[in-house]
Amino acid sequence: MSLFICPLCQSPLLPAADTWRCDGSLNPRQTNHPFDVARQGYVNLLPVQQKKSKAPGDSQASIDARKRFLNAGYYRPLRDLIKQQMMQLLVKNRQIVEPISEQKKLTVNWLDIGCGEGYYTQGMAEIGASDDSGVIDTLIAADISKPAVSALAKVSKAAEQLWYQHHKDDTTQKTIVYPLVTSAAHLPLRAHSMTGVSSIFSPILPEAFANVLMDDGYLLIAKPDVEHLATMRAALFDSVREHDSDKFLQELAPHFTLIDSHTVSTDLTLPAIDLADLMTMTPYAYRARAEKRQALLVRSEEAPFQTQAKFVVYVLQKTVDK
């Protein structure tokens, strides 16, 4: 049974190397809607009627800045924490659902919503790959930004992780990646098919997440913590509103139970070029006044700018009515 559904008629959607087609079983006209695979390796499942603008999502400039900044390793402590928490969840899930004494392998499907250019997604693809203790079988990387998903697809293709690069006779335990352009509010996924969902600085949609998660499935959320980039925000804004990291937990409560939360922080020493990328990849790029941004960059030319990144990671589990 396919994990995917047609965004136009909700019929089962069948992946293929060149064109995905739905079977039309839920379409009154029995039309098989086609969705071509881009040469980079992603599939666009975002119908025009679900777009709120001509080019939704992050801009190319923001994506390029984020790629440079993250690849420099500034947020690696957060990526390591996310990987650690996901590994623990997957090992726990495997032991509960499938006792170690049984030989049948549990299939793990994970959705990374709002994946961007894939820095955290690529970290997820590495989980348990060396010892198969918690490997993700299918990793669906979804974002509304076509340039972002295209960048992720290129990296995944180079690593031979894309779904059409996987051969049935290959016995190597390897995560298969499906890069999708799609809306978080209209996920083209079969109900109750995901083992877990991650939302790293991305939208929180309780009902949509609960719908695609299997019973007792996991939700992992990463958000800026209190005082995240505090000195940077103080330099850019006359009045600073502090991050209310857990304000969304009440919205999640009807569908999810909070299991745990973890914080991580890292000191940043940023030369002007990296500080410029950090501003470009955040909302500060358009919320702060141009003269404030320029003054901060001038200061960082004289001496690297000091600030601290602080994050909180929430681990939740889908609430199932008994």
Side-chain angles (χ1 to χ4, degrees):
M1 185 180 298
S2 177
L3 290 174
F4 307 96
I5 60 174
C6 177
L8 297 174
C9 69
Q10 286 70 59
S11 299
L13 182 62
L14 308 176
D18 51 358
T19 302
W20 292 22
R21 295 180 187 276
C22 71
D23 66 10
S25 58
L26 298 180
N27 185 348
R29 298 184 179 181
Q30 295 293 304
T31 303
N32 305 112
H33 296 115
F35 302 90
D36 292 337
V37 178
R39 60 181 178 80
Q40 295 89 344
Y42 69 87
V43 182
N44 190 341
L45 298 180
L46 182 67
V48 174
Q49 55 267 40
Q50 292 181 12
K51 291 185 178 182
K52 295 183 179 179
S53 64
K54 185 176 180 180
D58 293 335
S59 67
Q60 188 65 58
S62 175
I63 293 164
D64 291 342
R66 189 166 58 227
K67 188 187 302 184
R68 290 190 297 265
F69 184 86
L70 294 177
N71 286 344
Y74 289 115
Y75 283 7
R76 175 171 278 278
L78 173 61
R79 187 167 84 157
D80 289 345
L81 175 60
I82 290 169
K83 289 173 60 176
Q84 177 194 56
Q85 292 305 306
M86 287 180 61
M87 169 70 87
Q88 291 179 6
L89 288 177
L90 295 176
V91 170
K92 176 183 176 182
N93 185 67
R94 178 163 295 183
Q95 291 173 346
I96 292 174
V97 180
E98 176 200 9
I100 296 176
S101 60
E102 296 182 9
Q103 296 299 311
K104 184 179 179 181
K105 185 180 182 301
L106 177 69
T107 299
V108 175
N109 303 317
W110 195 281
L111 167 65
D112 185 28
I113 192 70
C115 62
E117 79 302 322
Y119 176 73
Y120 301 101
T121 314
Q122 286 297 316
M124 296 174 192
E126 299 170 358
I127 294 175
S130 60
D131 58 10
D132 191 30
S133 59
V135 69
I136 298 173
D137 299 285
T138 301
L139 180 54
I140 299 168
D143 200 290
I144 202 169
S145 169
K146 185 187 296 185
V149 176
S150 176
L152 181 150
K154 289 178 183 178
V155 174
S156 300
K157 187 175 182 179
E160 297 188 344
Q161 294 173 325
L162 294 180
W163 81 97
Y164 62 77
Q165 295 174 308
H166 177 72
H167 303 288
K168 292 182 179 180
D169 56 352
D170 185 1
T171 58
T172 304
Q173 293 298 330
K174 192 174 184 179
T175 297
I176 301 173
V177 178
Y178 290 82
L180 304 180
V181 179
T182 186
S183 164
H186 304 280
L187 293 168
L189 297 172
R190 176 166 52 84
H192 315 306
S193 60
M194 296 292 108
T195 308
V197 172
S198 51
S199 177
I200 316 300
F201 312 126
S202 296
I204 306 299
L205 301 171
E207 291 185 4
F209 295 167
N211 180 62
V212 298
L213 276 171
M214 62 179 58
D215 289 350
D216 296 324
Y218 298 106
L219 174 60
L220 187 144
I221 296 172
K223 290 286 186 183
D225 202 359
V226 175
E227 296 185 350
H228 174 63
L229 303 180
T231 57
M232 177 176 167
R233 289 183 288 125
L236 290 173
F237 302 100
D238 297 328
S239 177
V240 178
R241 180 188 296 180
E242 197 50 79
H243 292 287
D244 186 3
S245 305
D246 58 0
K247 63 181 179 181
F248 59 89
L249 291 177
Q250 187 173 354
E251 300 174 20
L252 288 165
H255 303 281
F256 294 93
T257 301
L258 180 65
I259 299 175
D260 208 348
S261 63
H262 304 267
T263 59
V264 61
S265 62
T266 180
D267 294 326
L268 303 179
T269 301
L270 304 174
I273 187 170
D274 292 343
L275 179 60
D277 280 341
L278 178 57
M279 282 193 283
T280 301
M281 68 185 245
T282 65
Y284 312 149
Y286 56 86
R287 290 179 182 171
R289 297 200 305 271
E291 58 269 27
K292 287 272 193 178
R293 298 197 305 268
Q294 187 58 37
L296 183 55
L297 289 174
V298 170
R299 284 170 49 192
S300 65
E301 291 283 2
E302 300 171 357
F305 185 75
Q306 306 283 338
T307 192
Q308 189 178 50
K310 304 185 74 172
F311 310 101
V312 56
V313 174
Y314 300 93
V315 181
L316 303 100
Q317 190 165 26
K318 182 178 174 181
T319 303
V320 180
D321 294 331
K322 302 298 184 181

